[in-house]
PDB file of all heavy atoms in Angstrom:
ATOM      1  N   PHE A1518     164.930 335.622 145.113  1.00 88.00           N
ATOM      2  CA  PHE A1518     164.617 334.413 144.347  1.00 88.00           C
ATOM      3  C   PHE A1518     165.864 333.541 144.188  1.00 88.00           C
ATOM      4  O   PHE A1518     165.779 332.311 144.206  1.00 88.00           O
ATOM      5  CB  PHE A1518     164.055 334.797 142.975  1.00 88.00           C
ATOM      6  CG  PHE A1518     162.729 335.478 143.040  1.00 88.00           C
ATOM      7  CD1 PHE A1518     162.591 336.818 142.711  1.00 88.00           C
ATOM      8  CD2 PHE A1518     161.598 334.786 143.457  1.00 88.00           C
ATOM      9  CE1 PHE A1518     161.363 337.450 142.780  1.00 88.00           C
ATOM     10  CE2 PHE A1518     160.360 335.411 143.523  1.00 88.00           C
ATOM     11  CZ  PHE A1518     160.243 336.749 143.195  1.00 88.00           C
ATOM     12  N   LYS A1519     167.002 334.183 144.036  1.00 89.00           N
ATOM     13  CA  LYS A1519     168.260 333.446 143.894  1.00 89.00           C
ATOM     14  C   LYS A1519     168.582 332.692 145.180  1.00 89.00           C
ATOM     15  O   LYS A1519     169.024 331.535 145.150  1.00 89.00           O
ATOM     16  CB  LYS A1519     169.392 334.412 143.550  1.00 89.00           C
ATOM     17  CG  LYS A1519     170.722 333.730 143.289  1.00 89.00           C
ATOM     18  CD  LYS A1519     171.775 334.755 142.892  1.00 89.00           C
ATOM     19  CE  LYS A1519     173.124 334.053 142.649  1.00 89.00           C
ATOM     20  NZ  LYS A1519     174.180 335.033 142.279  1.00 89.00           N
ATOM     21  N   THR A1520     168.341 333.346 146.313  1.00 89.00           N
ATOM     22  CA  THR A1520     168.582 332.689 147.608  1.00 89.00           C
ATOM     23  C   THR A1520     167.661 331.488 147.791  1.00 89.00           C
ATOM     24  O   THR A1520     168.084 330.427 148.260  1.00 89.00           O
ATOM     25  CB  THR A1520     168.360 333.689 148.755  1.00 89.00           C
ATOM     26  OG1 THR A1520     169.127 334.864 148.526  1.00 89.00           O
ATOM     27  CG2 THR A1520     168.756 333.079 150.085  1.00 89.00           C
ATOM     28  N   ILE A1521     166.393 331.662 147.409  1.00 92.00           N
ATOM     29  CA  ILE A1521     165.425 330.564 147.534  1.00 92.00           C
ATOM     30  C   ILE A1521     165.857 329.388 146.662  1.00 92.00           C
ATOM     31  O   ILE A1521     165.807 328.223 147.089  1.00 92.00           O
ATOM     32  CB  ILE A1521     164.006 331.030 147.152  1.00 92.00           C
ATOM     33  CG1 ILE A1521     163.552 332.180 148.040  1.00 92.00           C
ATOM     34  CG2 ILE A1521     163.034 329.859 147.233  1.00 92.00           C
ATOM     35  CD1 ILE A1521     163.455 331.846 149.498  1.00 92.00           C
ATOM     36  N   SER A1522     166.300 329.680 145.435  1.00 92.00           N
ATOM     37  CA  SER A1522     166.766 328.616 144.540  1.00 92.00           C
ATOM     38  C   SER A1522     167.966 327.904 145.133  1.00 92.00           C
ATOM     39  O   SER A1522     168.101 326.665 145.016  1.00 92.00           O
ATOM     40  CB  SER A1522     167.131 329.205 143.176  1.00 92.00           C
ATOM     41  OG  SER A1522     165.989 329.768 142.555  1.00 92.00           O
ATOM     42  N   SER A1523     168.834 328.659 145.792  1.00 92.00           N
ATOM     43  CA  SER A1523     169.987 328.051 146.449  1.00 92.00           C
ATOM     44  C   SER A1523     169.542 327.146 147.596  1.00 92.00           C
ATOM     45  O   SER A1523     170.104 326.065 147.810  1.00 92.00           O
ATOM     46  CB  SER A1523     170.921 329.145 146.976  1.00 92.00           C
ATOM     47  OG  SER A1523     172.030 328.569 147.640  1.00 92.00           O
ATOM     48  N   GLN A1524     168.507 327.570 148.343  1.00 93.00           N
ATOM     49  CA  GLN A1524     167.957 326.734 149.405  1.00 93.00           C
ATOM     50  C   GLN A1524     167.405 325.427 148.844  1.00 93.00           C
ATOM     51  O   GLN A1524     167.626 324.347 149.410  1.00 93.00           O
ATOM     52  CB  GLN A1524     166.836 327.481 150.132  1.00 93.00           C
ATOM     53  CG  GLN A1524     167.281 328.536 151.117  1.00 93.00           C
ATOM     54  CD  GLN A1524     166.103 329.158 151.833  1.00 93.00           C
ATOM     55  OE1 GLN A1524     165.085 329.487 151.218  1.00 93.00           O
ATOM     56  NE2 GLN A1524     166.216 329.331 153.138  1.00 93.00           N
ATOM     57  N   VAL A1525     166.681 325.527 147.748  1.00 94.00           N
ATOM     58  CA  VAL A1525     166.079 324.344 147.131  1.00 94.00           C
ATOM     59  C   VAL A1525     167.173 323.374 146.670  1.00 94.00           C
ATOM     60  O   VAL A1525     167.095 322.157 146.928  1.00 94.00           O
ATOM     61  CB  VAL A1525     165.191 324.747 145.939  1.00 94.00           C
ATOM     62  CG1 VAL A1525     164.711 323.507 145.175  1.00 94.00           C
ATOM     63  CG2 VAL A1525     163.994 325.560 146.416  1.00 94.00           C
ATOM     64  N   LEU A1526     168.186 323.902 145.995  1.00 95.00           N
ATOM     65  CA  LEU A1526     169.265 323.056 145.488  1.00 95.00           C
ATOM     66  C   LEU A1526     170.036 322.398 146.626  1.00 95.00           C
ATOM     67  O   LEU A1526     170.319 321.191 146.581  1.00 95.00           O
ATOM     68  CB  LEU A1526     170.211 323.892 144.619  1.00 95.00           C
ATOM     69  CG  LEU A1526     171.401 323.134 144.006  1.00 95.00           C
ATOM     70  CD1 LEU A1526     170.900 322.015 143.101  1.00 95.00           C
ATOM     71  CD2 LEU A1526     172.301 324.095 143.230  1.00 95.00           C
ATOM     72  N   SER A1527     170.374 323.178 147.654  1.00 94.00           N
ATOM     73  CA  SER A1527     171.123 322.615 148.781  1.00 94.00           C
ATOM     74  C   SER A1527     170.291 321.575 149.533  1.00 94.00           C
ATOM     75  O   SER A1527     170.819 320.573 150.028  1.00 94.00           O
ATOM     76  CB  SER A1527     171.576 323.723 149.734  1.00 94.00           C
ATOM     77  OG  SER A1527     170.465 324.467 150.197  1.00 94.00           O
ATOM     78  N   GLY A1528     168.973 321.792 149.607  1.00 95.00           N
ATOM     79  CA  GLY A1528     168.107 320.802 150.237  1.00 95.00           C
ATOM     80  C   GLY A1528     168.061 319.505 149.449  1.00 95.00           C
ATOM     81  O   GLY A1528     168.042 318.410 150.027  1.00 95.00           O
ATOM     82  N   ALA A1529     168.049 319.612 148.116  1.00 96.00           N
ATOM     83  CA  ALA A1529     168.047 318.421 147.268  1.00 96.00           C
ATOM     84  C   ALA A1529     169.355 317.640 147.427  1.00 96.00           C
ATOM     85  O   ALA A1529     169.351 316.402 147.498  1.00 96.00           O
ATOM     86  CB  ALA A1529     167.850 318.817 145.809  1.00 96.00           C
ATOM     87  N   VAL A1530     170.476 318.374 147.497  1.00 96.00           N
ATOM     88  CA  VAL A1530     171.778 317.715 147.689  1.00 96.00           C
ATOM     89  C   VAL A1530     171.823 317.026 149.051  1.00 96.00           C
ATOM     90  O   VAL A1530     172.279 315.884 149.174  1.00 96.00           O
ATOM     91  CB  VAL A1530     172.928 318.737 147.563  1.00 96.00           C
ATOM     92  CG1 VAL A1530     174.254 318.106 147.959  1.00 96.00           C
ATOM     93  CG2 VAL A1530     173.002 319.281 146.146  1.00 96.00           C
ATOM     94  N   MET A1531     171.336 317.724 150.082  1.00 95.00           N
ATOM     95  CA  MET A1531     171.307 317.147 151.431  1.00 95.00           C
ATOM     96  C   MET A1531     170.453 315.875 151.449  1.00 95.00           C
ATOM     97  O   MET A1531     170.839 314.860 152.033  1.00 95.00           O
ATOM     98  CB  MET A1531     170.746 318.164 152.419  1.00 95.00           C
ATOM     99  CG  MET A1531     170.779 317.717 153.868  1.00 95.00           C
ATOM    100  SD  MET A1531     172.443 317.648 154.570  1.00 95.00           S
ATOM    101  CE  MET A1531     172.757 319.415 154.791  1.00 95.00           C
ATOM    102  N   SER A1532     169.308 315.920 150.780  1.00 96.00           N
ATOM    103  CA  SER A1532     168.421 314.745 150.723  1.00 96.00           C
ATOM    104  C   SER A1532     169.105 313.579 150.021  1.00 96.00           C
ATOM    105  O   SER A1532     168.995 312.419 150.455  1.00 96.00           O
ATOM    106  CB  SER A1532     167.121 315.099 149.991  1.00 96.00           C
ATOM    107  OG  SER A1532     166.463 316.168 150.612  1.00 96.00           O
ATOM    108  N   ALA A1533     169.816 313.884 148.935  1.00 96.00           N
ATOM    109  CA  ALA A1533     170.488 312.837 148.163  1.00 96.00           C
ATOM    110  C   ALA A1533     171.621 312.189 148.953  1.00 96.00           C
ATOM    111  O   ALA A1533     171.924 311.007 148.759  1.00 96.00           O
ATOM    112  CB  ALA A1533     171.038 313.431 146.862  1.00 96.00           C
ATOM    113  N   VAL A1534     172.238 312.949 149.853  1.00 95.00           N
ATOM    114  CA  VAL A1534     173.347 312.411 150.659  1.00 95.00           C
ATOM    115  C   VAL A1534     172.828 311.632 151.860  1.00 95.00           C
ATOM    116  O   VAL A1534     173.308 310.536 152.171  1.00 95.00           O
ATOM    117  CB  VAL A1534     174.273 313.559 151.128  1.00 95.00           C
ATOM    118  CG1 VAL A1534     175.311 313.029 152.125  1.00 95.00           C
ATOM    119  CG2 VAL A1534     174.963 314.206 149.942  1.00 95.00           C
ATOM    120  N   ILE A1535     171.820 312.179 152.545  1.00 95.00           N
ATOM    121  CA  ILE A1535     171.331 311.567 153.779  1.00 95.00           C
ATOM    122  C   ILE A1535     170.554 310.276 153.523  1.00 95.00           C
ATOM    123  O   ILE A1535     170.644 309.325 154.301  1.00 95.00           O
ATOM    124  CB  ILE A1535     170.455 312.566 154.562  1.00 95.00           C
ATOM    125  CG1 ILE A1535     171.270 313.792 154.973  1.00 95.00           C
ATOM    126  CG2 ILE A1535     169.858 311.907 155.801  1.00 95.00           C
ATOM    127  CD1 ILE A1535     172.453 313.487 155.872  1.00 95.00           C
TER     128      ILE A1535
END
Side-chain angles (χ1 to χ4, degrees):
F1518 294 111
K1519 184 177 179 181
T1520 308
I1521 301 298
S1522 297
S1523 179
Q1524 283 183 316
V1525 172
L1526 180 61
S1527 57
V1530 172
M1531 185 70 75
S1532 302
V1534 172
I1535 298 299

